[in-house]
Amino acid sequence: MLSRIGGILRSERSLLKRGISASLGIMSNTSNGTMNQFYEEIATPEGVYKYYVQGEWKESASGKTVGIGNPTTQATDFNVQACSQSEVDEVFHLAKAAQKLWAKTPLWKRAEMLKTAAALMRANPAPMADALIKEIAKPAKDSMTEVVRSADLIDYTAEEGVRVLGEGKLLASDSFPGQERTKLCMESKVPLGVVLCIPPFNYPVNLAVSKIAPALMAGNSVVLKPPTQGSVAAIHMVHCFHKAGFPAGLINLTTGRGSEIGDYLTMHPLCNCISFTGGDTGIEISKKAGMVPLQMELGGKDACIVCEDGDIDLAVKNIIKGGFSYSGQRCTAVKIVLVEESVADEVVEKVVAGVKGLTVGKPEDDCFITPVVSKSSADFIESLVVDAKSKGGKLHAEYRREGNLIWPLVIDGVTKDMKLAWEEPFGPVLPIMRVKSVEEAIEHCNANVFGLQGCVFTRDVNKAVYISDAMETGTVQVNSAPARGPDHFPFQGFRNSGIGSQGIKNSLEMMTKVKSTVINLPKPSYTMG
């Protein structure tokens, strides 16, 4: 069966490469990435994007919409439906009914449908990428990369799901002391039910499919609540699942104001699992969710430890990329550099020189530094800079801001009394703290409320293992910047950084539960060779 699925995928890719995607029922994009025939169902004639329920794109009965501002121009570029609580109710009830039927769909068939959705995403990426540029100011190249990476994630999930979910376990009673072989326990994995998926603004497509694909492969139905900034890109992505032919009611998307439907979604009695990526909101969700399995990633203060024996040029390259890629708006961005004093001057000098070469401007121009997502984010970043400067931090360039666009800034001499030493700026500002020893660096790292990722630069493998063991973070990268991925790697955080673990296999297992069937034999029976 796996060979059959692989053959289908290879055939699809071959067709696409030869430019005859119409054989798959796929419409090609217009060159400028505007609305095309493939996506025409997702918006009203006035250009307001719809929500998705029971296999249909609909307008909310509330008659209300939510505007989505462009971080670059600060103009409202898009409008989406403001769903009501009664519409959320409908979505959950339909999702619950659809899940019961989907759970009876063979694994190979689920995998086939996921691969079809992935192929459709690859064939129709431009409008999705264009939405990422306009909604969240993601550079053009990175926007297209997110779409392609997301399709790859779906394919891998389909393949991994067939293997992982197809395996069961048989236990015999005589393995326990004092027992005869009179009981045979068959352990299997069964779906949880309805999975609520809430991705963040910075990866509204990739971190949506990282939840949706394993949920569907595991036999669950899905309710997706995309972030406001990123809703339109997510709507385009869901339409690819719609066109792939998934059953009505199985995949649903609601948009609206968090203040009106946020708690209603997360506390809904028909919600059986919540997969959330974001910030402090996740802590509030965890307090209210009750007896619902949670998968949460809530940010980090990812520390980069540079040892005196490390490859300085390698460290500098990764610090710049890790700290400033997508303007620092990543959970796995380098959020603080902890450098041993003996090499601090060299590290700072080279980082500052490298940062001066970063391009700053519009995402359409594929600049390295683009506007942060909102005025409130920019204001918060600025407050951290002001605090650090007032307490003696050394700014290696004049602080510069135009609207939501903040020029990259390195701040040396950061001390523990500064907010930047502890808080997550989520912007293009890099604090550097000089430490007397590796132990001091580890102590500072572990004192933070976050524990998502960290990294260490050293040529000594024994020291690398020692530091990794001592750092209380979900992942430690050795001689590379923090990163989420490849997408099949485990991804988790300690303390306030999250609950549970992500990564394709971990998500598949998290979105199922164990069910046992015990066969009771009238007398002991032992297998013979």
Side-chain angles (χ1 to χ4, degrees):
M1 192 59 65
L2 282 174
S3 61
R4 178 186 174 189
I5 293 169
I8 291 169
L9 178 62
R10 287 191 295 273
S11 177
E12 287 178 350
R13 286 176 173 166
S14 177
L15 289 170
L16 293 174
K17 288 178 180 177
R18 294 203 307 267
I20 52 174
S21 56
S23 298
L24 291 173
I26 299 170
M27 302 301 298
S28 61
N29 290 303
T30 55
S31 60
N32 62 2
T34 58
M35 185 70 69
N36 60 24
Q37 188 175 352
F38 180 81
Y39 289 112
E40 63 184 355
E41 299 174 57
I42 66 178
T44 67
E46 297 75 28
V48 179
Y49 287 86
K50 302 175 185 178
Y51 79 106
Y52 187 67
V53 60
Q54 194 61 3
E56 297 180 7
W57 291 103
K58 293 184 176 182
E59 297 179 58
S60 172
S62 71
K64 300 177 182 179
T65 62
V66 179
I68 300 175
N70 183 320
T72 304
T73 65
Q74 300 186 51
T76 299
D77 273 10
F78 303 109
N79 286 280
V80 297
Q81 306 296 318
C83 293
S84 64
Q85 291 186 0
S86 62
E87 287 164 334
V88 170
D89 271 334
E90 179 189 27
V91 162
F92 270 105
H93 281 92
L94 292 169
K96 178 65 81 173
Q99 188 274 324
K100 296 296 183 183
L101 296 174
W102 179 247
K104 298 177 182 179
T105 303
L107 287 172
W108 67 264
K109 182 64 175 176
R110 298 178 200 171
E112 266 190 5
M113 297 188 75
L114 283 171
K115 286 175 177 290
T116 301
L120 289 165
M121 286 180 66
R122 288 191 191 91
N124 299 273
M128 211 179 310
D130 187 59
L132 291 170
I133 292 169
K134 293 178 179 177
E135 287 186 281
I136 62 172
K138 181 164 284 191
K141 183 179 179 181
D142 291 345
S143 294
M144 188 62 72
T145 297
E146 179 171 346
V147 177
V148 175
R149 172 187 179 184
S150 299
D152 291 343
L153 189 157
I154 295 170
D155 278 339
Y156 194 103
T157 302
E159 295 165 2
E160 186 79 344
V162 171
R163 292 188 290 266
V164 172
L165 300 172
E167 294 178 353
K169 186 185 294 183
L170 179 68
L171 296 173
S173 55
D174 65 318
S175 60
F176 196 87
Q179 296 289 315
E180 294 280 3
R181 197 172 188 272
T182 57
K183 295 177 182 286
L184 301 176
C185 176
M186 295 184 293
E187 180 185 301
S188 56
K189 303 179 182 76
V190 297
L192 295 176
V194 182
V195 178
L196 174 61
C197 303
I198 308 177
F201 80 84
N202 54 348
Y203 290 91
V205 175
N206 183 255
L207 285 176
V209 301
S210 75
K211 306 172 189 301
I212 294 170
L216 294 175
M217 191 64 210
N220 301 288
S221 60
V222 166
V223 175
L224 173 65
K225 170 57 178 74
T228 300
Q229 304 281 138
S231 289
V232 175
I235 287 169
H236 282 81
M237 175 270 296
V238 166
H239 192 61
C240 294
F241 283 84
H242 167 69
K243 287 289 191 178
F246 282 87
L250 189 68
I251 305 166
N252 307 273
L253 179 148
T254 62
T255 53
R257 295 180 176 86
S259 59
E260 295 179 6
I261 63 171
D263 283 351
Y264 201 72
L265 282 160
T266 57
M267 298 174 68
H268 200 281
L270 295 183
C271 178
N272 303 118
C273 174
I274 301 174
S275 180
F276 175 92
T277 304
D280 292 344
T281 302
I283 296 175
E284 296 305 313
I285 291 173
S286 68
K287 293 177 180 177
K288 301 173 183 176
M291 295 288 288
V292 174
L294 300 175
Q295 183 186 53
M296 295 198 165
E297 189 268 284
L298 309 179
K301 182 68 174 175
D302 301 355
C304 174
I305 299 177
V306 183
C307 301
E308 60 185 2
D309 71 330
D311 182 331
I312 301 303
D313 289 337
L314 178 65
V316 167
K317 176 183 175 181
N318 279 272
I319 288 168
I320 294 171
K321 181 181 178 181
F324 294 100
S325 177
Y326 187 39
S327 301
Q329 296 177 110
R330 298 176 299 110
C331 294
T332 55
V334 172
K335 307 287 175 53
I336 187 168
V337 177
L338 304 168
V339 56
E340 289 198 88
E341 288 181 341
S342 60
V343 292
D345 287 343
E346 182 183 0
V347 169
V348 171
E349 180 183 351
K350 289 184 175 181
V351 168
V352 170
V355 169
K356 288 179 180 178
L358 300 179
T359 56
V360 181
K362 297 179 180 179
E364 291 88 348
D365 297 333
D366 206 33
C367 292
F368 199 87
I369 303 294
T370 56
V372 296
V373 72
S374 66
K375 181 180 182 299
S376 60
S377 293
D379 289 344
F380 174 70
I381 296 164
E382 184 170 310
S383 73
L384 296 180
V385 173
V386 171
D387 175 76
K389 185 177 180 180
S390 70
K391 294 173 181 175
K394 182 180 178 182
L395 279 61
H396 279 268
E398 182 182 354
Y399 173 73
R400 184 179 174 188
R401 172 184 172 186
E402 293 179 9
N404 294 340
L405 182 61
I406 296 174
W407 269 251
L409 183 63
V410 176
I411 302 182
D412 188 15
V414 169
T415 54
K416 294 181 180 180
D417 61 331
M418 299 177 189
K419 293 180 180 179
L420 259 179
W422 307 102
E423 299 191 34
E424 184 180 22
F426 231 65
V429 174
L430 180 69
I432 297 180
M433 179 183 290
R434 300 173 181 234
V435 295
K436 293 181 173 61
S437 65
V438 164
E439 287 71 24
E440 182 185 348
I442 294 169
E443 181 182 3
H444 183 82
C445 171
N446 293 347
N448 202 283
V449 296
F450 290 116
L452 184 62
Q453 286 208 6
C455 64
V456 55
F457 288 87
T458 176
R459 289 186 170 93
D460 184 341
V461 66
N462 297 320
K463 184 186 291 187
V465 171
Y466 160 71
I467 294 172
S468 176
D469 286 347
M471 291 177 73
E472 297 170 4
T473 60
T475 302
V476 177
Q477 301 274 351
V478 177
N479 293 327
S480 186
R484 184 185 63 84
D487 287 316
H488 67 304
F489 279 18
F491 184 61
Q492 57 281 317
F494 297 167
R495 301 187 295 282
N496 285 8
S497 284
I499 299 172
S501 180
Q502 299 178 53
I504 291 171
K505 183 178 179 181
N506 288 350
S507 292
L508 285 166
E509 293 180 342
M510 181 267 168
M511 293 177 179
T512 59
K513 53 191 173 187
V514 173
K515 182 173 182 177
S516 299
T517 299
V518 179
I519 306 299
N520 291 274
L521 304 175
K523 60 181 180 180
S525 178
Y526 292 87
T527 55
M528 296 292 112

